[in-house]
Structures are given as structure tokens and as C-alpha cells.
Amino acid sequence: MNQIASATAIANPNIAFIKYWGDKDPMLRIPANGSLSMNLSNLQSRTTVSYDSTLERDELILDRKVPDDLAVERVTRFLDHVRHLAGISYYARVESENNFPTGSGIASSASAFAALSLAASKAAGLQLDERSLSRLARRGSGSACRSVPAGFVEWQSGEDDDSSYAFSLAAPEHWQLYDCIAIVSQEHKKTGSREGHALAETSLLQNARVGDTTRRLDLCRQAILNRDFQAFAEIVELDSNLMHAVMMTSQPRLFYWQPATLAVMRAVVDWRRNGIPVCFTIDAGPNVHVITLADHSSRVIADLIQIPGVSKVLVSGPGKAVRLSVE
Ligand code: DP6
């Protein structure tokens, strides 16, 4: 007889204020340094996992399409670990959908693997606490461990599988920070973060960046806890520039910026000089995350869309923890 066990979970992606770049252990995704982020309330992945005794392999549907073999392999490797933890052997059908446009240049692996961790473990009959769920999500995609807890989140790098996980520093209601993502390109990036992490070590600057992380984490954590935008802005921009300096000086080098990326960075710095609470941070792509306070967001969005090369702006406040869908 056909046996099915199923669960659906929802997770938000996150934007890192102190970035993860480089691994101590690439298989387990133990990062070279700790990082700090905010979940993004308006963007989400919704994932259903159904273990089915009649399946002969795992099946994956992403945004209503069958993805390439590499994506299926990555999910199967992840599910193998969940099956091992739960002591089950059934293959699963995984259906995942993002509410943000596919190819909008927003990395979806964080929300996708956070939602997959909860749906896959729940459907397998596991009751994982937040820390265990974060550790599990980390194996799928490093930054996914930060999409498990709520609001403002820190990922302590740790030394091994047990000690490397993320926890909430402050609830979403703590500070009304808005991320206005200026989309300057919808192209799929040529070098993904997995290959990028592996190149970090080839930059002369990576050791200096990693060696200074505790100081930057302390400053950023304090700025968030004190809601001190000026201090926050300085450290967030420095951290983003440090990561991009490592990317640009690795071998082979990685340049993610487009001319419009730099135009937005310059505008943001000018606006801040003129008293607007605003700063930028950029991940492994050309789009610019422009962080501001809720009260200033309408003005910032209107000004961003005027910059040549900016095609649209996606806006989010602080998001919740990963959760089961009740429907
Ligand atoms: C630049 O978590 O996407 O966004 O573990 O290979 O999936 P994988 O890497 P990923 O790397 C994120 C890199 C970053 C910085 C950050 O989010 O901290």
C-alpha cells in the first residue's frame, strides 16, 4: 500500500549585515567567520515535502519547473541526511515556490533550505528544536541556518557540526529596519556562492577580513541592540566592502558589480551625508540592498527608482522564524 507523510513550511530569505564568505569545512559548511543578518518579511519560499513509499527517487519541482540535475542532487544529498536522522528510507516529492520573481537576482537558497529543513524533518517524524533545525539548514546552504530563527540573527561560526548554528539576537519588532533591494540586473550570476567561498582563501585579504570579524560583529550587534543607525551604517558598509575586496582579489577574481551598482552606492552615501538614515550592503551579485528606517522608506524607494539602471525595488521589513504552514 502507498504510504505518504507530508509537511509544508515557509521561510524568509535574509540579508547579511556581517557577511559569511569562506569555509573552514566546505562539506559541513562550517564558516571561516561568524555572521549577522535580518530575515526579509515580504519574500518567502514555501516548500512541501511528501515521503512516498512508491517513489523510486527524489523528485523536485522548483517554481513549477523541473530544475537541473545538480539542484536535484543537492536536495537528495540533504534529504539523505534527514532520512539518516529519522531512520526512514522513503524517497520524497519536494515542491518549492518563491513569492519573489525567479531570476530577480535574490538568492533563494537561504529561504529554500530553511523551509526544506522544517518540512523534511517534520514529515519524517522528527521534532527538532531551533538549534538543531538551524544546524540542519546549514548543511543545505550556509546562510539558510540564519533563516531559521526570527528577526535579527547571529550565526556563531563554531568549530564543528554541533557548535555552528544561528540564534535570534532580537525579535522582528525590535527595530523597523527596511531593506529596499535595488534590482540592477536579473541575470543569473556566473559564479555561484559555493565556488566563491572556495576562492576566498586565494585572496591575500581574506585572513585580515576574517581576523577582524569579532570586532565587526561586536559593533554591529551593539548598533542593532541600541538602534544606533549611524554606527550600524558605518560597520555594515565596511563589512560589505571588505567582502567585495576579497572577491575582487581572489584568483580567479570575482567582480559582481555593474555600473548601476556603483551609482546606487554613491547615491546612498550622499543621502546619508545629507542626513537620511540609509546605507548599502551587497551580496554575491550586482543588486544593492539599501537599508533604511521605516519612516524614510517611501522617499528612499522613490529616489532609488530614479537612478538609471535600477529596474525595480523590492521592500521588506524584519521577518519571522521558519514556520509550518497551517493550511
Ligand atoms: C555573499 O549561504 O549562499 O550572501 O552555503 O554555498 O549556499 P552556500 O553559500 P551561501 O553564501 C552566502 C554568501 C553571501 C553572504 C551572506 O549571506 O552571509
Side-chain angles (χ1 to χ4, degrees):
M1 205 183 65
N2 180 3
Q3 286 184 22
I4 298 182
S6 155
T8 300
I10 293 172
N12 302 121
N14 63 76
I15 177 63
F17 299 141
I18 302 296
K19 311 284 190 191
Y20 151 48
W21 198 245
D23 290 301
K24 280 194 275 220
D25 180 338
M27 288 306 288
L28 285 174
R29 288 181 161 83
I30 311 299
N33 62 282
S35 56
L36 206 158
S37 62
M38 177 180 95
N39 290 347
L40 301 176
S41 62
N42 289 341
L43 311 178
Q44 65 175 48
S45 299
R46 183 193 169 85
T47 303
T48 300
V49 175
S50 309
Y51 296 100
D52 182 338
S53 58
T54 64
L55 292 177
E56 287 174 7
R57 65 183 72 82
D58 293 319
E59 293 178 0
L60 177 61
I61 308 283
L62 271 186
D63 287 324
R64 293 161 202 254
K65 291 189 206 86
V66 177
D68 61 33
D69 289 351
L70 274 179
V72 182
E73 211 178 284
R74 187 169 173 184
V75 166
T76 286
R77 214 174 320 121
F78 181 84
L79 289 175
D80 282 344
H81 181 63
V82 177
R83 281 185 280 256
H84 167 76
L85 291 177
I88 61 167
S89 56
Y90 294 160
Y91 289 112
R93 189 175 304 108
V94 176
E95 273 179 74
S96 190
E97 227 168 300
N98 298 323
N99 76 342
F100 41 102
T102 315
S104 64
I106 309 303
S108 54
S109 66
S111 49
F113 277 99
L116 181 63
S117 299
L118 181 54
S121 58
K122 180 77 187 171
L126 292 167
Q127 294 286 350
L128 300 183
D129 59 15
E130 185 179 274
R131 172 172 165 176
S132 306
L133 207 53
S134 177
R135 287 171 45 224
L136 174 61
R138 192 201 71 234
R139 287 172 175 254
S141 171
S143 57
C145 78
R146 297 190 310 241
S147 281
V148 170
F152 298 87
V153 174
E154 181 166 345
W155 173 10
Q156 65 168 39
S157 60
E159 291 302 323
D160 53 18
D161 179 41
D162 210 41
S163 55
S164 187
Y165 62 94
F167 54 90
S168 182
L169 280 179
E173 302 74 35
H174 169 72
W175 201 14
Q176 282 312 293
L177 278 189
Y178 274 40
D179 181 6
C180 309
I181 312 171
I183 307 292
V184 307
S185 164
Q186 311 223 8
E187 249 180 64
H188 213 74
K189 52 191 175 199
K190 286 187 203 78
T191 310
S193 41
R194 194 76 322 240
E195 298 98 295
H197 288 297
L199 294 179
E201 283 277 296
T202 66
S203 166
L204 293 170
L205 307 182
Q206 172 73 345
N207 275 347
R209 190 192 73 88
V210 170
D212 177 62
T213 309
T214 307
R215 185 189 73 90
R216 293 195 310 284
L217 277 172
D218 286 347
L219 287 171
C220 190
R221 196 187 302 112
Q222 278 319 309
I224 289 172
L225 294 177
N226 298 333
R227 301 186 194 89
D228 178 346
F229 195 91
Q230 192 58 36
F232 172 80
E234 296 295 328
I235 200 65
V236 167
E237 288 186 357
L238 173 68
D239 189 84
S240 175
N241 290 340
L242 279 171
M243 180 182 73
H244 284 271
V246 168
M247 291 164 160
M248 289 174 190
T249 53
S250 63
Q251 287 165 341
R253 64 194 172 182
L254 295 170
F255 278 105
Y256 286 109
W257 300 353
Q258 301 276 336
T261 310
L262 197 58
V264 173
M265 293 163 77
R266 295 193 123 150
V268 164
V269 171
D270 274 354
W271 297 339
R272 190 158 78 254
R273 250 185 231 125
N274 293 330
I276 313 280
V278 65
C279 67
F280 67 77
T281 183
I282 303 162
D283 279 345
N287 301 321
V288 188
H289 293 253
V290 178
I291 316 296
T292 188
L293 296 173
D295 291 352
H296 295 264
S297 58
S298 316
R299 169 75 195 277
V300 167
I301 295 161
D303 289 347
L304 280 173
I305 207 80
Q306 299 297 321
I307 298 176
V310 175
S311 59
K312 67 176 162 209
V313 179
L314 301 175
V315 187
S316 271
K320 293 189 220 158
V322 66
R323 57 234 173 242
L324 289 169
S325 170
V326 281
E327 279 159 45

